[in-house]
Amino acid sequence: MMTTTITRTNNHSRTLRMVQIAMFSVLMMIGANISSFLIIGGVPITLQTFFAIIAGILLGSRTGAVAMLFYLFIGLAGLPVFAKFSGGIDSLVTPTFGFILSYVIVAYIVGAIVRKFPTTKGFVIAALAGTAINYLIGTNWMYVAYKLWFEAPTNFTYQMAWAWMMVPLPKDIILAIFAGIFGYRLKPIVQKYKK
């Protein structure tokens, strides 16, 4: 009887994890394309960082990172889930692929921080740290891509790459703060369904 109960609990947990991973992959696809036709300096303005942060907060480090990896792999497999409904293995060499790659790390780091600091302030700091990681990886990848294998705009510099990122930065800071507060309030509800 005890073994049956444990098996049911394990199956329920596994099924719930799979549903959460699939759900966040869909949210990332929506976030990639909800406003991705607004492009500044070659960078589509999306809501993906927001959803990657929420994945880390609500699913935890490992499951959040796996959800982002799943999204990454279905995009690389050719499904049009990246910004501007793009996808495929050639996405690896685009200037914006670093942002996509960063979502795995963002979800993992955010999940780790909120686990250690389970307060509203801790959640907001985690979300801001996630945004900083996204900018750091994405902007550096973009700079290297333009310098090494992609045709760079005229007089392109490292400072120019960061200047482009200053335009969406206020929006991303506001969304990060909102994600931290929203995630903090939503986390107890999500944890209730894990049991």
Side-chain angles (χ1 to χ4, degrees):
M1 186 72 169
M2 186 75 154
T3 309
T4 309
T5 307
I6 291 167
T7 304
R8 275 193 198 143
T9 304
N10 286 342
N11 287 340
H12 171 75
S13 295
R14 199 174 300 121
T15 304
L16 182 62
R17 254 195 314 275
M18 287 167 60
V19 168
Q20 290 170 334
I21 287 166
M23 183 182 76
F24 270 93
S25 295
V26 170
L27 286 172
M28 288 297 284
M29 185 184 78
I30 293 166
N33 292 293
I34 202 163
S35 60
S36 69
F37 293 101
L38 175 60
I39 299 170
I40 298 167
V43 181
I45 305 305
T46 71
L47 295 175
Q48 289 175 292
T49 310
F50 174 80
F51 287 124
I53 289 166
I54 292 292
I57 288 173
L58 298 183
L59 307 185
S61 288
R62 285 197 313 209
T63 307
V66 168
M68 296 303 102
L69 266 174
F70 183 68
Y71 166 74
L72 177 81
F73 287 137
I74 61 174
L76 290 175
L79 289 166
V81 297
F82 297 151
K84 296 191 284 180
F85 297 100
S86 62
I89 200 74
D90 57 334
S91 301
L92 282 167
V93 295
T94 61
T96 55
F97 186 74
F99 294 99
I100 298 167
L101 195 59
S102 78
Y103 301 136
V104 179
I105 300 161
V106 167
Y108 188 86
I109 297 293
V110 168
I113 294 171
V114 299
R115 188 175 176 183
K116 259 193 170 175
F117 305 100
T119 63
T120 308
K121 188 178 175 182
F123 276 54
V124 170
I125 288 168
L128 289 169
T131 301
I133 290 163
N134 173 250
Y135 270 61
L136 191 65
I137 295 170
T139 307
N140 281 293
W141 179 286
M142 180 173 64
Y143 175 73
V144 170
Y146 275 129
K147 281 296 185 184
L148 298 184
W149 65 81
F150 219 78
E151 190 180 339
T154 313
N155 302 321
F156 183 70
T157 63
Y158 190 62
Q159 289 76 16
M160 186 186 287
W162 279 102
W164 287 347
M165 298 312 300
M166 292 304 106
V167 178
L169 182 61
K171 178 265 296 180
D172 286 332
I173 289 172
I174 290 164
L175 280 174
I177 293 167
F178 176 70
I181 295 165
F182 176 68
Y184 180 76
R185 292 186 177 173
L186 199 58
K187 181 123 179 147
I189 299 165
V190 172
Q191 281 180 323
K192 213 169 19 174
Y193 288 101
K194 281 186 178 178
K195 292 171 183 173

